[in-house]
Amino acid sequence: MSSGLNLAQLQAVHHIDGPSLVLAGAGSGKTRVITHKMAHLIQKGLSPQRIAAITFTNKAAAEMRERAKGLVGRPAQEITISTFHALGVRMLREHGEVLGLKPQFSIMSADDVVGILKDCGATTDAATVRQWQWGISNWKNAGWTSAEAMQQAKGEDERALAVLMQRYEERLAAYQAVDFDDLIGLPLKLLREHSDVREHWQQLLGHVLVDEYQDTNAVQYDLLKLLVGARASFTAVGDDDQSIYGWRGATLDNLRKLPQDFPALKVIKLEQNYRSTSAILRAANAVIASNPKLFEKTLFSELGEGEPVRVVACDNDEHEAERAVARIQSLRANSPHRALSDFAILYRANHQARVFEQALRKAQIPYKVSGGQSFFDRAEIKDICAWLRLMANNDDDPAFLRAVTTPKRGIGHQTLAQLGSFATAHRLSMFDALFSQSIHTALSARGVGSLHEFGRFLNESEYNARHIKGAEQAGDFMRQWLKDMGYERYLFDQEDNDKLAAARWKNVMEFVDWMAGRCGGATDDTAGVVTSTPSKSLLEVIQSVALLSTLSDREQDQDVVTLSTLHAAKGLEWPHVVLVGVNEGLLPFRSDVDDDTPAEVLAQRIQEERRLMYVGITRAQRTLSVTWLKRRKKGRDTVAGTPSRFIKEMALDEATTREDPREKLKALRAEFAQRARDQALNPAP
């Protein structure tokens, strides 16, 4: 087979005339298909600049770019390989002015959005604001404006949220800012309302490939349809059995609609799995068989039968953690060459990680936690980083908006809205605008005075940071700077719980120590050679602050056991997996439901949880151990545990007929050959 691709993969790569849906089962080589299809399109004469591959994470985009480079070399640099949101940014930077956006518009982080919603709703209650944020995001992902949300609102609570959404939209417009959801919604508006922009993008993109298509929401599907136009030259690659993000707007309706909206759609199934043994795949196929099917498919493997899937009943949480650690130790004892990074412990919810962390520490086994919150994602650290980013780059409008309102200093949203409009009209950053000689024509004297006070404090801070060197000076300066800023008092004013506020302040002090440490010189005597690094000024350290968010990934390549939620594990794989907490109430997860919740909604939730179990099973390459609890903690109580229905659905005890992979391949070859004969006899017009 050409390029080492199997028959189904070849068919997916070679179909370039019209729309196609590639149903890529877990471990079936979908990224390989996408990158080979890029190479095939270029070979057939399509310019690399006219190819776009859309993924859902920056990490996946980077991996795809590297693979494409290996196949086609330099032309890969010209292919657009990005997330939906990154493509949206590009569209808005190029054409957003027709929507009233300046090219240098700001992109609000989730924490920035929380701050604006607190102001709009006049509350400091974090839980309430998160609910508002979630509700507005859901409406935006459904393609609704605040006016449409008001029309669709059911009850006073939804009407009140629609009013809040309108205020929020007005605030973003005044700030010349967008949020994460707008990066899809506004490009869709661009293409719908401006035919010249739509024609430009349809001519620019000769073929669009969408990875993880099952994770698209309604707005992303509408955007895709307008990008590909009537020519409909696209490849959607996905797996309905791995659709696990319904809670954030992803909908299987997008898979159902494809054959209806594109009657010429070619459906190609990738069923050969290159990751897991037959024993593991048989359990996965048995579980997912209980879900209704949009498209029938059955995974198979040529990697051999492998070890049977193990199911282990554990007395309680601590016993389960001990058994998981013992499993890792046993497998390593039998094969000492096995790395710790070959092992993963997967669970449904973040709170389950704690007891496994304790057991691994007790056994002196290093580990990392995926799917949890990074230190640099904490709101208080982002607050300080916004100030530091603004010191390093006065043109950073998102950093300006966060710093000028954190802590509060009497600068209200109306003042900032007027400053934003003035900055846009004069093509200035917001920080530069506040020092403009004509700023008095746009703002009140009081507003100008407050902004000037903020600007002077920032400029003085930047000047001092430039001349401070060494760890001790940097630490002393930052502690005094935070005191002058009033940040500790701000934290305690923000939190109803003093203990929580104190914990957040402790995080800030840890960050200060870390920053100060980077200012000090370092000595290294590795391999007996003494080297020294000169001390840096605080401003030099601050200028690297944009990289801080990547520091939490510094252990990514170390030899450690992975602890991960099932959602965070999607797209990854390990030779040995322990899938824990497979109990009713945990997996499937039982959320509080009303008696009035329709049976159809409840069924859909169970189906998504079953897909999550399927994802967990198919992360394993060589061995899979599934554990459940006889007694488990529920709040402060201990309750009797029941094994998940999914364990029974794996049908491990049944005498299942084992399909010979060679027979499966033989059937596929025969089917492929027959299609080739049919095409030769009946060539396309």
Side-chain angles (χ1 to χ4, degrees):
M1 296 176 205
S2 174
S3 304
L5 299 175
N6 65 36
L7 294 172
Q9 290 172 332
L10 277 172
Q11 190 179 11
V13 167
H14 290 163
H15 183 80
I16 58 176
D17 298 322
S20 64
L21 169 62
V22 179
L23 288 168
S28 62
K30 65 182 178 63
T31 304
R32 198 160 184 238
V33 165
I34 291 171
T35 51
H36 274 78
K37 190 156 191 174
M38 293 177 193
H40 186 66
L41 286 164
I42 294 171
Q43 184 183 7
K44 289 296 183 180
L46 187 64
S47 166
Q49 296 176 338
R50 299 194 62 214
I51 301 172
I54 304 174
T55 70
F56 273 80
T57 67
N58 291 320
K59 182 179 177 181
E63 179 189 350
M64 193 175 291
R65 191 173 292 110
E66 283 302 309
R67 290 213 204 175
K69 199 181 299 180
L71 275 178
V72 301
R74 290 180 62 86
Q77 298 174 0
E78 300 175 37
I79 301 173
T80 297
I81 303 176
S82 71
T83 63
F84 264 108
H85 294 88
L87 180 63
V89 171
R90 176 182 164 188
M91 295 173 71
L92 291 176
R93 295 284 187 216
E94 293 182 18
H95 302 284
E97 286 183 293
V98 299
L99 298 179
L101 280 176
K102 64 179 183 181
Q104 295 79 29
F105 63 84
S106 301
I107 302 171
M108 294 294 182
S109 71
D111 288 323
D112 294 329
V113 169
V114 167
I116 294 174
L117 288 175
K118 282 181 177 179
D119 282 344
C120 290
T123 183
T124 60
D125 182 68
T128 299
V129 174
R130 290 292 182 191
Q131 286 183 337
W132 291 343
Q133 185 182 19
W134 191 255
I136 290 172
S137 178
N138 283 341
W139 281 342
K140 285 192 173 189
N141 285 329
W144 295 358
T145 64
S146 58
E148 289 166 327
M150 179 61 79
Q151 291 175 349
Q152 301 289 337
K154 299 173 183 176
E156 285 302 316
D157 289 346
E158 288 194 1
R159 280 190 283 274
L161 182 59
V163 171
L164 182 73
M165 183 177 176
Q166 182 181 8
R167 289 184 208 149
Y168 171 67
E169 288 175 342
E170 292 169 352
R171 190 77 60 88
L172 288 181
Y175 290 171
Q176 279 292 299
V178 299
D179 64 21
F180 204 57
D181 297 318
D182 290 331
L183 297 178
I184 309 297
L186 291 179
L188 176 60
K189 185 177 182 181
L190 259 179
L191 299 185
R192 275 179 173 165
E193 299 180 1
H194 300 276
S195 58
D196 56 332
V197 177
R198 183 171 64 250
E199 289 169 10
H200 167 82
W201 281 95
Q202 289 177 355
Q203 287 299 316
L204 177 65
L205 301 181
H207 196 93
V208 179
L209 302 104
V210 182
D211 191 16
E212 303 288 8
Y213 177 76
Q214 77 281 348
D215 293 337
T216 55
N217 60 35
V219 178
Q220 288 163 336
Y221 180 57
D222 288 342
L223 181 64
L224 173 65
K225 285 196 295 184
L226 289 178
L227 282 173
V228 302
R231 188 173 66 252
S233 184
F234 71 86
T235 304
V237 182
D239 182 7
D240 50 337
D241 291 334
Q242 295 188 75
S243 178
I244 59 173
Y245 294 113
W247 49 275
R248 70 182 189 193
T251 173
L252 282 174
D253 282 344
N254 290 353
L255 275 167
R256 293 188 185 94
K257 289 176 182 176
L258 272 180
Q260 301 166 13
D261 293 344
F262 301 96
L265 183 76
K266 178 77 170 178
V267 179
I268 302 162
K269 301 175 185 179
L270 304 185
E271 297 175 288
Q272 183 169 358
N273 175 285
Y274 292 92
R275 174 188 300 159
S276 307
T277 63
S278 294
I280 291 169
L281 290 186
R282 197 162 50 251
N285 287 333
V287 165
I288 206 65
S290 297
N291 269 5
K293 294 285 188 180
L294 287 176
F295 305 93
E296 287 289 342
K297 71 176 185 305
T298 303
L299 297 184
F300 69 96
S301 169
E302 288 191 293
L303 298 178
E305 175 64 16
E307 292 189 22
V309 175
R310 295 160 49 98
V311 176
V312 181
C314 303
D315 293 336
N316 51 37
D317 305 68
E318 290 78 12
H319 184 224
E320 183 177 46
E322 291 169 3
R323 292 296 299 266
V325 170
R327 174 70 172 159
I328 293 170
Q329 291 171 324
S330 172
L331 286 169
R332 294 194 79 215
N334 293 334
S335 298
H337 64 278
R338 283 177 177 152
L340 288 171
S341 56
D342 288 345
F343 297 87
I345 299 173
L346 307 182
Y347 39 80
R348 174 64 175 82
N350 277 311
H351 74 268
Q352 294 172 262
R354 182 186 60 82
V355 68
F356 295 97
E357 291 188 69
Q358 291 172 342
L360 288 165
R361 285 197 297 266
K362 184 178 178 181
Q364 297 185 347
I365 296 176
Y367 65 90
K368 66 177 180 181
V369 180
S370 298
Q373 185 185 47
S374 158
F375 179 78
F376 294 96
D377 286 335
R378 298 178 188 276
E380 58 271 20
I381 305 304
K382 284 191 171 184
D383 288 343
I384 306 307
C385 285
W387 278 86
L388 301 182
R389 283 166 45 202
L390 192 58
M391 280 190 214
N393 175 18
N394 293 162
D395 292 336
D396 190 334
D397 281 354
F400 174 87
L401 286 168
R402 186 160 192 151
V404 79
T405 55
T406 311
K408 302 290 184 185
R409 51 182 41 82
I411 300 173
H413 70 272
Q414 289 186 343
T415 298
L416 290 174
Q418 292 164 350
L419 177 66
S421 298
F422 180 88
T424 301
H426 292 79
R427 297 186 177 276
L428 298 169
S429 70
M430 295 181 81
F431 187 81
D432 285 344
L434 70 87
F435 288 115
S436 170
Q437 292 183 348
S438 55
I439 190 65
H440 295 277
T441 63
L443 276 74
S444 67
R446 181 179 176 182
V448 171
S450 297
L451 286 168
H452 279 178
E453 183 180 344
F454 166 77
R456 282 192 295 270
F457 179 69
L458 188 92
N459 283 336
E460 288 172 7
S461 301
E462 180 185 339
Y463 175 83
N464 290 329
R466 191 182 301 275
H467 294 88
I468 285 173
K469 278 194 172 184
E472 186 175 352
Q473 282 190 15
D476 289 343
F477 167 76
M478 288 193 71
R479 282 184 280 272
Q480 184 60 46
W481 173 66
L482 288 165
K483 183 177 180 181
D484 295 341
M485 189 198 300
Y487 191 75
E488 182 179 12
R489 184 174 63 251
Y490 164 77
L491 283 181
F492 278 86
D493 289 343
Q494 283 288 103
E495 296 290 350
D496 296 331
N497 185 322
D498 284 353
K499 186 176 179 181
L500 181 57
R504 294 182 65 189
W505 178 245
K506 184 180 178 181
N507 289 335
V508 173
M509 290 296 98
E510 182 181 337
F511 177 71
V512 168
D513 291 341
W514 181 85
M515 287 285 292
R518 287 175 65 87
C519 293
T523 301
D524 184 10
D525 61 354
T526 303
V529 179
V530 178
T531 59
S532 61
T533 305
S535 60
K536 297 179 180 179
S537 74
L538 181 57
L539 188 64
E540 286 178 298
V541 173
I542 286 170
Q543 285 168 340
S544 66
V545 77
L547 302 175
L548 291 178
S549 62
T550 66
L551 293 175
S552 58
D553 297 328
R554 60 190 179 277
E555 296 181 349
Q556 186 174 3
D557 298 325
Q558 292 186 2
D559 185 24
V560 296
V561 172
T562 299
L563 299 179
S564 177
T565 62
L566 289 167
H567 284 100
K570 185 170 177 290
L572 304 177
E573 59 189 65
W574 295 269
H576 310 285
V577 168
V578 185
L579 181 51
V580 301
V582 187
N583 280 66
E584 288 293 315
L586 287 174
L587 182 64
F589 183 77
R590 177 174 173 79
S591 56
D592 294 331
V593 294
D594 299 324
D595 293 337
D596 296 333
T597 303
E600 182 182 354
V601 172
L602 295 176
Q604 288 172 353
R605 292 183 187 176
I606 292 296
Q607 289 164 17
E608 180 154 324
E609 292 290 305
R610 185 175 286 113
R611 293 193 291 270
L612 201 54
M613 178 73 177
Y614 176 83
V615 165
I617 295 172
T618 54
R619 298 313 92 195
Q621 297 172 322
R622 297 293 173 264
T623 72
L624 173 65
S625 182
V626 177
T627 64
W628 65 278
L629 302 166
K630 296 177 183 177
R631 293 187 301 278
R632 68 182 184 90
K633 291 179 181 176
K634 190 175 182 181
R636 296 183 178 180
D637 300 324
T638 299
V639 299
T642 305
S644 169
R645 69 193 73 181
F646 302 149
I647 291 179
K648 183 178 180 181
E649 290 175 3
M650 286 194 294
L652 299 178
D653 297 328
E654 296 179 11
T656 308
T657 301
R658 297 177 181 176
E659 182 176 26
D660 186 340
R662 291 169 297 184
E663 291 301 319
K664 180 80 173 181
L665 281 173
K666 185 178 179 181
L668 282 172
R669 289 191 180 100
E671 180 185 350
F672 193 79
Q674 184 60 49
R675 286 177 180 170
R677 287 193 293 271
D678 291 344
Q679 289 174 357
L681 292 171
N682 301 290

